[in-house]
């Protein structure tokens, strides 16, 4: 995997105002030694449930926090508060994606040096968040087994801008006659070589491998930060 | 129910370019006696499967056709072609919703007088399509049981701009411990009095009631058109 998040590669030729803010954020995150992971998916794919599980399970070892974007409610922040991790809601109103400036504002009162991982859950949408860099180091795109195997082909931009694909709700795979081979092939067709996980937040299947991967990224990031200085 | 689609009520104070095109389309549809129904939902809610079933089952009695919007593929049009109804794909590129002008262009070669029902399947997105009037008479918002009971509260604008809510994938209700009462309450909280259906395109449950409702709308529309002339 390259040193830059996929989205930075994708957007390097179309730098706009949001990218400028995002780049500054990324520098700030790296300087503070916090590894930032964003999550994108359609509505109801299970971002919040996976995030709650992740925050809870990483906490014994790491200092974690989360920002969650939503149009209208703070339901997700309430759910995530059960993990006891610091969580802040970003209400986007009618805007269908987070922007770097919203992330910057939400972080105003936080001391980033006190964090190992910061998660950013985007608004549930497979289109709008695609091209908005939030300064994250790693972008996860989620797809649930109930959504249909064709979604990577139908929403290629968001899969192409992600670093990792997570197939969720694997406990429902049999009930929906989920074709894992076809799905994996479609994901790889849109974004060749992308790292993939298959998980169930309900049963816990695949979660240890997923968390081990994230933990590994943190040490990689620290090393990279040291190498750059 | 009022004579105007819900979206026209919602948008009457913010008339923009798209609304102007949509109003002209609506007049054209009414003059031709074709009843136009649009479908909105998140990705993977089952719009295409319900539409394929609807086209197939309405065809013995009615002349039906469909337009389907998608970012990148013509998969949906290929699937719908199995119904033998005329179907045309609208590719939106990176745009997360259909616009009235796209519908107008896609219809150029069609004789609307030869149709009873025209269905318009929007891009899978619970945010962007909300405020784009397509000239439809009836807007269906779909929500699958796998997406979570909270979605109407989290995406209120799209539920508020719809005329009918259809809860899909009812065959999976038990597997996901779906709370129908809570979902219905959340839908009604956002859009009080909205007509609701609960269906499974897989088992056929609820489909006859849904189709009967649509058939009834057609005669209502014809009457209304006659009253207006």
């Amino acid at each position: 995997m390259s040193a830059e998040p996929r989205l930075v590669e994708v957007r390097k030729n179309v730098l706009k105002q949001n990218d400028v803010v995002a780049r500054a954020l990324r520098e700030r995150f790296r300087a503070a030694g916090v590894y930032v992971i964003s999550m994108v998916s359609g509505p109801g794919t299970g971002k919040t449930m996976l995030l709650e599980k992740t925050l809870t399970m990483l906490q014994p070892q790491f200092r974690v926090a989360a920002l969650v974007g939503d149009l209208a409610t703070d339901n997700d922040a309430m759910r995530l508060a059960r993990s006891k991790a610091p969580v802040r809601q970003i209400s986007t109103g009618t805007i269908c994606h987070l922007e770097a400036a919203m992330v910057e504002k939400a972080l105003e009162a936080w001391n980033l040096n006190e964090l190992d991982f910061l998660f950013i859950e985007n608004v549930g949408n497979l289109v709008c968040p695609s091209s908005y860099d939030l300064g994250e180091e790693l972008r996860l795109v989620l797809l649930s087994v109930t959504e249909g195997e064709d979604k990577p082909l139908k929403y290629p931009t968001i899969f192409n801008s992600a670093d990792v694909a997570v197939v969720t709700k694997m406990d429902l795979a049999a009930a929906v006659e989920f074709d894992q081979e076809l799905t994996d092939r479609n994901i790889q067709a849109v974004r060749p070589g992308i790292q993939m996980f298959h998980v169930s937040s309900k049963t816990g299947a695949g979660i240890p491998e997923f968390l081990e991967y994230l933990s590994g990224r943190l040490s990689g990031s620290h090393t990279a930060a040291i190498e750059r200085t």
Side-chain angles (χ1 to χ4, degrees), chain A:
Chain A
M1 193 174 280
S2 69
E4 291 294 340
R6 173 64 175 172
L7 192 65
V8 175
E9 275 178 47
V10 172
R11 291 198 61 73
K12 65 186 167 192
N13 293 321
V14 285
L15 200 69
K16 295 189 176 150
Q17 180 54 30
N18 183 76
D19 298 280
V20 175
V21 179
R23 288 193 167 194
L25 268 181
R26 183 169 289 110
E27 286 312 305
R28 226 176 109 197
F29 294 148
R30 286 177 175 175
V34 54
Y35 193 82
V36 181
I37 299 172
S38 77
M39 303 167 81
V40 294
S41 81
T45 298
K47 288 186 296 304
T48 309
M49 193 165 170
L50 179 62
L51 183 49
E52 184 181 353
K53 195 131 194 145
T54 299
L55 293 174
T56 304
M57 292 179 74
L58 286 179
Q59 268 188 108
Q61 264 188 282
F62 301 104
R63 299 164 301 172
V64 298
L67 302 176
V68 283
D70 235 318
L71 300 189
T73 71
D74 60 358
N75 292 3
D76 289 351
M78 307 267 278
R79 284 171 65 189
L80 292 172
R82 297 186 299 210
S83 71
K84 314 285 184 204
V87 175
R88 183 159 300 166
Q89 183 81 39
I90 303 176
S91 289
T92 64
T94 56
I95 299 176
C96 52
H97 55 83
L98 288 176
E99 296 182 6
M102 299 177 191
V103 171
E104 189 180 40
K105 191 164 182 303
L107 291 174
E108 265 170 9
W110 282 3
N111 183 354
L112 295 175
N113 295 299
E114 293 171 1
L115 290 177
D116 296 313
F117 281 108
L118 172 67
F119 291 86
I120 305 175
E121 180 185 334
N122 217 313
V123 176
N125 202 301
L126 275 183
V127 186
C128 314
S130 305
S131 53
Y132 286 86
D133 186 357
L134 304 178
E136 69 269 62
E137 204 62 44
L138 198 74
R139 176 175 285 209
L140 313 180
V141 61
L142 278 67
L143 174 70
S144 78
V145 300
T146 63
E147 287 174 75
E149 294 82 357
D150 59 341
K151 293 304 167 293
L153 305 179
K154 293 178 75 173
Y155 301 89
T157 311
I158 204 147
F159 282 85
N160 191 41
S161 69
D163 300 287
V164 174
V166 185
V167 180
T168 61
K169 305 195 188 180
M170 285 299 288
D171 54 292
L172 295 172
V176 299
E177 298 166 65
F178 175 63
D179 187 336
Q180 180 171 332
E181 201 185 308
L182 176 60
T183 302
D184 291 359
R185 200 162 60 233
N186 287 343
I187 292 171
Q188 293 292 333
V190 171
R191 172 86 168 92
I194 191 172
Q195 172 80 41
M196 297 189 295
F197 292 93
H198 302 80
V199 306
S200 164
S201 298
K202 198 169 175 184
T203 67
I207 299 288
E209 295 81 357
F210 172 67
L211 296 181
E212 194 180 342
Y213 174 82
L214 296 188
S215 306
R217 300 302 299 178
L218 183 61
S219 33
S221 155
H222 280 169
T223 314
I226 291 159
E227 278 167 5
R228 264 193 301 276
T229 51

